[in-house]
Amino acid sequence: MIEVNNLHKKFKDVTALEGLSFSAKDGEITGILGPNGAGKTTCLRTLYGLLKADQGSATIDGINVSEQPLIARGNLGIFPDKFGLYERLTAYEQIDYFASIHGLTGAKKKQAIEEVLQELEMEDLAHRKTVGFSQGQRMKVTLAQALVHKPKNFVLDEPTRGLDVMSTRILRNYLSKYKAKGHCILFSSHVMQEVAALCDRVIVVANGKLAAQGTPQELCDLAGEAQLEDAFVKIIGSDEGVAA
Amino acid sequence: MIQFNALFSKEIKEAIRDKRALMAAFTMAFLAPVMIFVMSKMAIKEAVETPPAYVNISGGEYAPALMKHLADDNVFPMSEVEDADKVMWEKRNIEVFIPADFEESLLAGTSINVVLRADYGEKAHQSIIRRVRDSVYSYSRQIGYQRIMMRGIDVKLLRPINLAEQDTQKPSSNATFISLMLSIYLLFGAFFSGLSVAIDTSAGERERNVLEILLCQPVSTMKVVLAKLFAATTIALIGVVLTLILSTIAVGFVDLSQLGLTFNLDMKTAISLLILLIPICFFASALQLFFAFNAKTFKEAQSLVSIIIMLPGMIPFALSMMNDRPQWLDWAPISGQYLIMEDLFKGDPVGFGVLLVTGAFTVLMTVILVKVMAERLKSEKVVLALS
Amino acid sequence: MKKMWKSLFGICVAVGFISQSYAEPAPTKQQMMIEDCHVEGIRSQVRCGKLTVPENYNKPTDATLDVNFVVLPAHDNSKNNTPMMFLAGGPGQAAAQMASGILRMFSEVRKTRDIILVDQRGTGQSNGLQCNNFEDYDLYEDITDDMSSQDILDCLADFNVDLSHYNTTNAIRDFDALRDALSIEKIALYGGSYGTRAALVYMNMFPQHIESVVLDSVGPVEIQIGLFGQTGARSYQLLLENCQLDEACHQAFPNLDEEFQALIERVEAEPIRATVMHPTLGSPTEFVISRTKLISTLRLQLYFMQGRQFVPYVIHQAYLGNYLPLAGLVAQSGGDESGQIHAGLLFNILCSEDYPLVKQNQWQADADNNFGRNEAQKNWHLACGVWPTYEVEREYFKPVTADIPTLIMSGKLDPVTPPSYGDITDKTLPNSRHIVVKNASHIVVSSPCAIDLVNEFLTNKDPQAIDDTCLVEIEDERFITHVNGSN
């Protein structure tokens, strides 16, 4: 469960967040939609505890991120915006590294790694150095390192950027699987089809504020458009947004 | 601790697997012995040999005794030069003019004007010019003494004051120039060996987009910084130890006995050196991490840090230029260690206390750097610089 | 006066000196103390020490004396090389006092070896036995011819030690005790002049403690020290010959020997009294030249090459009535304290160990020469006539046969220890080599070639393997032919 409450954030003269609030529930995939500069990344970074909100709060499973960042992060799996790999490590070592950071040790750690490898069907990749991995393979490694500690909450920042169709499909399947297991999944994107196909709920962010939220269908209805993309354009196009 | 171990072992793994960077890191370890070997050879040659010098002497036939005196000092007329060296000596063109009335003036007791003409600014000429000058002066002085004595005058009158110089330096003079060279190389090695690791693990990771995800993990920035610091320091230490070992071996191949010197590193000195250098390795790596983290790009980090590695070269140089150095330099990182190493190699007693104080001071500086870095990694400025 | 002793006696003398060294002392032996110090003429610090030894080794609990020593530490502090002990000449020279001169000559050796300089008991700071009453003697106005046995007795009266223990064998015991105190298992020895005699006795007494020996200008145990008449004349003869061979010298002084003999006749008739400007003070002074002063001054020049070059010119000028050059030589001999002979020890040792063994006819034969006549022996008779003697441990003065690598060196022109002496010692030693340096006089290591040979020998310890090619390049003797110098 991720909750964002009345977040405000200013960088010098630029207002990035201006009272953003939303929540992402367990067992759902929540999408954040928003144009570039709408404050998506700032919001997520605040959620990671990297940035401190000027006002408002973010909680993960009820833990305030700015107050107890390390504990909050323990319940979080992150698939970052620009993901890089330690190319001199093997996939296994890399996953192991993150598992250890999350405090796993010994047999428990080993088991966790085996499980995540299995889940992601990447056993054959495990002991290769990640240098030269395809984009899809890199995505898997990143996914594995984010999920090895079995976080309740999972945040993905533009996960499908740069992925080919096959990889995107694979990712979607995983997300669905995780949802089914009751995880809370929050992911930002600007690919409408993806959001439409995957998300249970969509949060539209514009100018640092919540512009609208609801199921994709609700948003379409709200804007009176058949396509989510059109609905999105219409929603962010309005000055004050549309209350849901 | 689990986290730290994971962080540290990952950093080490990465460092060790980066073969090229590792090779570069240990260049100093391999280069230093070579340099020491070559420079020692040259120093020995200069100190031990008075190689024959060939000088364009005109009028040598007028002063056979002077010519013989010069020959005793290994200075010969150009006519005796071997063909192989002829061009070189002719190019140097150091000239001595002896007047035709040499003998006449000598017997008459009037001053004889002998001319020494050469390019005094040319470094290669200087030792030859000095030798020719010394030789002529000593010949001249010898004749002067004879003249005085044969006139029934006590030659001691020519030396009214006998200045007895007393040097309080410890008699155990080791191969000092080698030690000093080694000291600088060791300091340099401390900075140089960890350099690539320090940049790679900071600016490099940021550039490869792996730093952000690390900062999002449930681990304190202090641990992150410490792990990176220890990794870079480990490599730096290996470099330093390697430098020490290989240099000691290399010095073994130099025949220092020609200079009446030996260079041997006993266990006590080696251990003292390590105690001395461990803090400096930490300090060097911390300094490099600090600047690399602060740099905006990998390139900028590289250029900033390469300025830092000049410190161990510049500080000893500056120290040697200073006649009255302020006391705090005895404790400051790099200068403190350098001064202690000087004493250590000279055989002067080095107190455990001094070692401790200098080390503690360096460690303190390192701790401050680490603290600042850990704080900075939490700051929004760094986070914003990530994207 | 002391300078006079230098010129009158001996094997002692003159120019360079040398030394040896050992390894850093472990000041464990309680009777030894050692510390960093400065000694005259050496800028860097060296080590100075004292070793307390019994005056009489048969009664070690009785009186003691402190033996003074100096160690010139090797540059190379690895202690890889055996230290070398320098045994000084005389007898009566104090090695520690000569440290700077020794260092100058032995700088190559010292790079890798400690050099140990011991003031032999009765010299320097080891209870130096100096005849202080000899000192108020004016170099120019006074002559020694009228010295009497009373002067000797006055000197003796000053000593309050048991002179019978100030002998060669006890000196060697001191040296070996020091070797032991410095924790040196085997030591290298360099002996010059009387120091060779000491080294030979050392070889007889403690062969097991000696690694190698250099004997420079040998005084063999088979030959008594003190017979300098014939050897001096031989050296003078070689000077005459070399002057004849040198074109400039031959031209300038075609009748050199005739002039010298005429000069001797002149001073024998009556000491010459010339008024000269005092060489040091510049005031008019009477320069009295007796036969003794003339011969002893010239004889002293024969000991070293820089002195020899003046001899023809000085003789010639004196013959012509110009005594200033001779005064210049006298002035020069009256300087430098470092190599001074402690006359008390000189007489003490020679009057017991050598003088009694010389037969009357030997003295007569020795005086029958064309140079120094009986001048060198006159003072032996004077001193040894009244000096108390002691019983000598003769067993240690037998020909030496110890199997120790030994390098023997002689200067061809030597006026006191000619090369034939080196041959005598060479004959009895099983592992030795005798090298004669052609243009050298007393104390051969003052020449750069010779010191190289010594250094090589100390390192390789094989006298036969020494490469002596540098000897070939040594030039002929040259002489001063003009007051303003020679070209």
Side-chain angles (χ1 to χ4, degrees), chain C residues 300-314:
Chain C
L300 179 60
Q301 307 309 315
L302 297 182
Y303 276 74
F304 54 110
M305 302 312 296
Q306 298 95 311
R308 288 174 71 92
Q309 63 179 341
F310 295 113
V311 170
Y313 180 80
V314 172

Side-chain angles (χ1 to χ4, degrees), chain C residues 57 85 87 120-121 167-178 194-195 197-203 205-206:
Chain C
Y57 275 88
M85 187 181 279
L87 307 182
Q120 179 176 348
R121 56 165 70 191
N167 54 44
T168 300
T169 42
N170 275 345
I172 302 304
R173 289 185 179 100
D174 297 342
F175 296 159
D176 201 58
L178 178 62
Y194 163 79
R197 166 70 64 82
L200 289 166
V201 174
Y202 202 152
M203 291 165 85
M205 292 174 76
F206 304 106

